[in-house]
Amino acid sequence: MFVFKNAWKSVIRNKGRNILIAIIVAIIAAAATIGLSIRQSANTARETGIENTRVTGQISVDRSKLINASSTSSSSSSGSQPDFSAIREALSDKELSLSDYQKYAKLSSVSSSYYTETTSLAETDSFQPVSTTSSSSSSSSSSSGSSDSNAQQPGGGMGGGMESTTSSGDFQLVGFSSDEAVKNASNGSFTMTSGEVFDYTTSSDKQVIISKSLADFNNLKVGSTITVASATDSSKTYSLKVVGIYKNTTESSTSTGGPGGGSTANDAANAIYTSVSTLKALGLDASSKVTTTDSSGNSTSSAAAQISYTYVFNDESSFKSFKTQAKKAGLSSDYTVSSADVEEYESSLIPLNNLSQFALTLLLIVLGVGAVVLIVLSLFNVRERKYEVGVLTAMGVKKSKVAAQFAIELLIVTMIGLGIGAVAGAATSVPVSNQLLASQVAQQESETSSQQAQFGRGAAGPGTSSGSSSSSSSSSSSSGSGTGSGTQAAAPTQGNGGGQFGAQAVDYVSSVNSTVSLSMVGQLILIGLGLTLLSALVGVIFVMRYEPLQILADRS
């Protein structure tokens, strides 16, 4: 009790010095509160950001692994020249069949699934694609019976196919398995201007919906019949009935082909939508085969359509469980499971992660500088009160009690400063954190814009929204369990979404809303105790070294 009374009297008596110490501790505590709140928000966003949000996933071939394995084995035997035949053989016949995809869709972690099958069709005299050129890009190839077997399909890669094996054609015929597949069309969302969407039974076979642009271009309406040709054999034609006309929410009139105009099939306006049942009835589904002949007369057989299969999960945990379950169910290591939603959300956290790292660095600097300042003040405090130490020890007070008194004095002042700093930090953490986060978002957007400008490209390609990123989009709130803190983040886009080409816009996490939680209070107390013990240790060392008689003799 003697020690505590003396410590409190000393705190009251030396107000100036103790106020200075309290101010320094308050500044450290405020900075620590802001830094800890930022890191807590980042951790909460990473751990629970999309935990309760539906996400989608796909199975795709791990091309890099197959190419590297094939290149390694071939280079060891044939020198530096790659064995292209061996690499192509390693990549061939790797696309999963529809039954394979459906087998994994039965796993318990999968909430639902949907898929599309995409093939190419050619124009006829009575039905032409929307185009600014006098003739379509593939008319010559259609008439000759040859095709480009490596043309990209809409949505290709989402379902895990190796590559498109159909002609570039003039139109893309996309078969949907369900309303959910239609909702997540690879060309983006659309609305019906007339008619209605087909159903998915055999009774609706050969029913299609076309874009308003394509309907206007060919002067068609609901109930019209269109005739299209095979992309590999112009003598083979198909009659389809238009039951609806749709308008793309974001429609691009630019074909994304290469030099010379490219394929009109890559224009979203030339996408013809139907059911997978129709593709099967026409013999154009993924289980059917088509034969293509190159300019040398070599014939190759390939799937008539490209499968894009998507699995839907209730949350991120289910997606992670699916990866494990799929491997146990027999999924080869040649395939990988990925989620565009998870990847997009992780990309949205880049500014927050950068800010979290900055907050950690700032916190360490503040604690380091603060500890040095407190040690120096503690040292001066002991040296100024050297005579008091000598008197107390000469009176019989043990040195350990004198050292404890100095430590208690510092602890009292530190806790007062810690409380003031914690309150100030809690009051300013949200606006300060959001201001710093806004700077990080702006910096990230600037870097993205600079990279795009370096290549002379716009911020978005066909089918994507303008701008490289958006920090003010619709957001969802995620909060840590029992912490009272949360992070507002852009909700991941469901399904394929967006356009086929161009940079995908990223909705960065644009604001944090983190309050002081019990765990943070505990961390602040530990920080205060650590600073107190560290700075008090210097005083203890000096007190234990002092000899009372020598101190009194020097004083006299």
Side-chain angles (χ1 to χ4, degrees):
M1 186 61 67
F2 168 79
V3 173
F4 285 98
K5 287 182 178 179
N6 267 12
W8 178 251
K9 289 180 180 179
S10 178
V11 170
I12 300 300
R13 184 171 59 250
N14 301 293
K15 294 180 180 180
R17 180 181 64 249
N18 291 327
I19 289 175
L20 177 61
I21 295 176
I23 292 174
I24 294 174
V25 173
I27 294 174
I28 295 173
T33 301
I34 295 173
L36 291 174
S37 67
I38 292 174
R39 291 188 60 79
Q40 179 177 272
S41 297
N43 291 334
T44 300
R46 282 192 294 267
E47 295 172 0
T48 63
I50 56 176
E51 181 60 29
N52 299 317
T53 303
R54 295 207 324 167
V55 299
T56 59
Q58 297 80 30
I59 298 176
S60 57
V61 177
D62 193 344
R63 279 187 170 184
S64 298
K65 177 182 177 181
L66 293 174
I67 292 175
N68 290 335
S70 178
S71 299
T72 301
S73 60
S74 61
S75 61
S76 60
S77 59
S78 59
S80 58
Q81 178 65 38
D83 187 344
F84 297 111
S85 298
I87 296 176
R88 291 190 181 97
E89 183 178 355
L91 295 176
S92 64
D93 299 328
K94 289 296 183 180
E95 185 172 356
L96 294 177
S97 65
L98 179 59
S99 60
D100 291 329
Y101 287 120
Q102 291 174 334
K103 177 182 71 172
Y104 300 119
K106 296 178 182 178
L107 297 176
S108 61
S109 56
V110 180
S111 172
S112 63
S113 64
Y114 59 87
Y115 66 97
T116 62
E117 293 185 346
T118 306
T119 189
S120 297
L121 294 173
E123 65 175 23
T124 59
D125 292 338
S126 61
F127 185 62
Q128 301 282 314
V130 177
S131 175
T132 57
T133 58
S134 58
S135 62
S136 68
S137 61
S138 63
S139 58
S140 60
S141 65
S142 297
S143 60
S144 63
S146 63
S147 64
D148 178 7
S149 62
N150 294 321
Q152 185 173 357
Q153 304 294 319
M158 293 301 294
M162 284 294 299
E163 61 185 17
S164 172
T165 55
T166 58
S167 167
S168 58
D170 302 302
F171 307 97
Q172 294 290 357
L173 181 62
V174 184
F176 295 94
S177 64
S178 63
D179 285 346
E180 191 172 13
V182 174
K183 178 182 176 183
N184 297 284
S186 60
N187 287 323
S189 59
F190 61 86
T191 57
M192 299 299 296
T193 60
S194 59
E196 61 182 8
V197 176
F198 44 82
D199 63 37
Y200 310 97
T201 62
T202 55
S203 61
S204 296
D205 283 352
K206 299 185 180 181
Q207 293 182 356
V208 300
I209 62 174
I210 61 176
S211 70
K212 189 175 186 305
S213 298
L214 186 59
D216 293 342
F217 192 84
N218 290 273
N219 194 25
L220 299 173
K221 60 183 180 179
V222 173
S224 299
T225 298
I226 60 175
T227 301
V228 289
S230 167
T232 58
D233 184 0
S234 59
S235 63
K236 185 182 295 184
T237 60
Y238 310 94
S239 294
L240 305 171
K241 182 180 180 180
V242 178
V243 295
I245 297 175
Y246 69 87
K247 181 177 178 59
N248 287 319
T249 302
T250 303
E251 185 170 324
S252 170
S253 61
T254 306
S255 179
T256 52
S263 170
T264 57
N266 290 330
D267 192 329
N270 293 321
I272 303 173
Y273 293 159
T274 187
S275 65
V276 291
S277 178
T278 293
L279 266 68
K280 186 174 183 179
L282 298 177
L284 296 175
D285 61 325
S287 62
S288 303
K289 298 293 183 180
V290 294
T291 301
T292 57
T293 305
D294 59 21
S295 57
S296 301
N298 299 319
S299 298
T300 57
S301 180
S302 56
Q306 172 87 21
I307 298 179
S308 175
Y309 207 100
T310 301
Y311 303 93
V312 181
F313 309 96
N314 288 329
D315 48 43
E316 186 182 12
S317 297
S318 298
F319 166 70
K320 292 179 179 178
S321 298
F322 175 75
K323 297 173 72 173
T324 303
Q325 292 177 355
K327 296 296 181 182
K328 291 182 179 179
L331 183 64
S332 169
S333 59
D334 292 339
Y335 301 88
T336 181
V337 180
S338 60
S339 171
D341 296 328
V342 174
E343 293 172 358
E344 181 181 348
Y345 187 75
E346 290 175 350
S347 297
S348 74
L349 293 179
I350 291 177
L352 185 58
N353 290 335
N354 292 340
L355 181 59
S356 176
Q357 187 62 40
F358 169 77
L360 176 61
T361 303
L362 180 63
L363 180 60
L364 294 177
I365 293 175
V366 169
L367 292 179
V369 174
V372 171
V373 172
L374 288 178
I375 289 173
V376 172
L377 291 177
S378 179
L379 177 61
F380 280 124
N381 181 32
V382 173
R383 291 178 64 87
E384 288 176 1
R385 297 167 61 186
K386 186 176 181 181
Y387 182 70
E388 179 184 344
V389 174
V391 172
L392 290 174
T393 52
M395 290 172 57
V397 180
K398 294 182 179 180
K399 289 183 179 180
S400 58
K401 289 187 176 181
V402 176
Q405 176 185 323
F406 279 90
I408 292 173
E409 291 176 16
L410 189 58
L411 180 62
I412 293 173
V413 177
T414 300
M415 289 297 107
I416 293 174
L418 194 66
I420 296 174
V423 172
T428 59
S429 62
V430 173
V432 171
S433 299
N434 287 333
Q435 184 63 36
L436 293 174
L437 182 57
S439 300
Q440 289 291 334
V441 171
Q443 180 180 352
Q444 189 68 30
E445 291 177 345
S446 177
E447 290 179 0
T448 303
S449 299
S450 298
Q451 291 173 357
Q452 292 169 341
Q454 181 179 4
F455 293 95
R457 298 181 180 137
T464 60
S465 58
S466 175
S468 61
S469 61
S470 172
S471 62
S472 59
S473 63
S474 60
S475 60
S476 60
S477 177
S478 59
S479 58
S481 176
T483 63
S485 64
T487 301
Q488 291 183 347
T493 304
Q494 295 289 333
N496 299 344
Q500 307 168 41
F501 304 93
Q504 176 68 38
V506 177
D507 294 327
Y508 294 117
V509 172
S510 57
S511 64
V512 294
N513 182 19
S514 180
T515 56
V516 178
S517 62
L518 292 177
S519 62
M520 192 182 299
V521 171
Q523 291 175 325
L524 289 174
I525 293 176
L526 290 177
I527 289 175
L529 290 175
L531 292 176
T532 301
L533 293 175
L534 184 62
S535 54
L537 181 62
V538 176
V540 170
I541 293 174
F542 274 83
V543 168
M544 299 303 291
R545 290 178 56 189
Y546 286 155
E547 294 295 334
L549 296 179
Q550 184 64 40
I551 292 174
L552 296 177
D554 292 342
R555 177 76 173 182
S556 62

